[in-house]
Amino acid sequence: MGCKHFSEFPVAKLTDYHDQLDEKLVADNVFAVVTATHILTQRTRKNDDERYEAKRRLMRLLYQRDWDKQKVIDLFHVIDWMMRLPEVLEQQLWYEIEAIEGGKKMHYVTSVEKIGIAKGRQEGRQEGLLKGEAKMLSIMLKHRFGNVPEATIEKLTQSSEEQLKKWLISAISASTLDAVFNGDMAH
């Protein structure tokens, strides 16, 4: 019967837009922002400082648009995913974004963080580890010495990693709860 069915789509290669970066940055179009992000990601592949500046520029751009909150959050996610930075630069960028938000009374980053877009910072990871160490020490103390005062448990959760390690080592051989802390903590 000779029937044929086919679809034809226009082809767009992002590399064709490299010379149009400035146009993409001023266009009020989500796809233009994503294209600009791709171009800037490629251009800054081996230079963290340049990537930081490019990512900062894109993030600021989102605040200049009159887009709804969800669109901005989604674009934060795309930009953050495409333009990875070393942790120090990532933290610096988030501080700048918080400052921008404070001035504009627009709180996108908080929402972004709530949905997990903001990468866990080293401090946050370390805080989680500290809480785990404090919990482990608390369990060990309860097992060895019975009732542990709530104030002692509270102090454990607020202590430094170095102090927790010291108390953990002490808890292994101490004969009493007071001996674990050697006068470092009031119970």
Side-chain angles (χ1 to χ4, degrees), residues 1-177:
M1 304 257 290
C3 293
K4 290 183 182 180
H5 180 76
F6 69 95
S7 297
E8 189 173 316
F9 298 97
V11 175
K13 294 189 314 188
L14 292 177
T15 55
D16 292 343
Y17 295 97
H18 278 252
D19 60 339
Q20 298 175 25
L21 177 62
D22 292 332
E23 294 169 34
K24 299 302 172 206
L25 290 170
V26 296
D28 191 24
N29 176 317
V30 173
F31 295 106
V33 173
V34 172
T35 302
T37 302
H38 175 75
I39 293 166
L40 288 169
T41 300
Q42 287 187 327
R43 287 185 182 177
T44 61
R45 181 171 290 139
K46 298 194 188 248
N47 189 322
D48 291 337
D49 292 330
E50 285 181 17
R51 177 161 292 181
Y52 169 82
E53 289 301 324
K55 188 171 182 178
R56 185 175 71 133
R57 181 180 182 189
L58 289 164
M59 296 295 198
R60 285 181 175 271
L61 180 80
L62 295 181
Y63 285 99
Q64 296 170 356
R65 302 290 193 259
D66 190 26
W67 289 337
D68 66 85
K69 188 174 183 174
Q70 190 58 51
K71 186 183 290 188
V72 172
I73 290 170
D74 291 343
L75 285 167
F76 263 104
H77 176 64
V78 170
I79 293 168
D80 195 47
W81 176 72
M82 290 176 73
M83 301 185 89
R84 300 282 185 203
L85 288 170
E87 194 64 35
V88 172
L89 291 176
E90 196 69 48
Q91 286 177 358
Q92 184 177 338
L93 179 65
W94 286 112
Y95 292 136
E96 286 191 42
I97 290 169
E98 288 169 359
I100 293 168
E101 286 186 339
K104 294 196 177 259
K105 297 185 174 139
M106 299 166 70
H107 297 285
Y108 294 122
V109 173
T110 301
S111 298
V112 172
E113 288 171 345
K114 284 180 185 175
I115 62 172
I117 292 174
K119 290 186 278 184
R121 297 181 189 158
Q122 180 62 30
E123 301 152 3
R125 287 190 294 270
Q126 185 150 4
E127 183 179 318
L129 291 172
L130 284 176
K131 284 181 182 179
E133 289 176 1
K135 177 91 171 151
M136 184 174 72
L137 181 55
S138 171
I139 290 168
M140 177 189 263
L141 293 175
K142 284 180 184 177
H143 179 72
R144 292 218 51 228
F145 305 110
N147 189 26
V148 177
E150 194 61 39
T152 301
I153 294 171
E154 180 75 23
K155 286 281 190 183
L156 292 175
T157 62
Q158 296 174 2
S159 297
S160 70
E161 181 180 10
E162 183 179 318
Q163 187 63 64
L164 285 170
K165 285 180 181 178
K166 179 180 168 188
W167 290 332
L168 186 59
I169 291 167
S170 228
I172 293 169
S173 59
S175 58
T176 66
L177 184 61

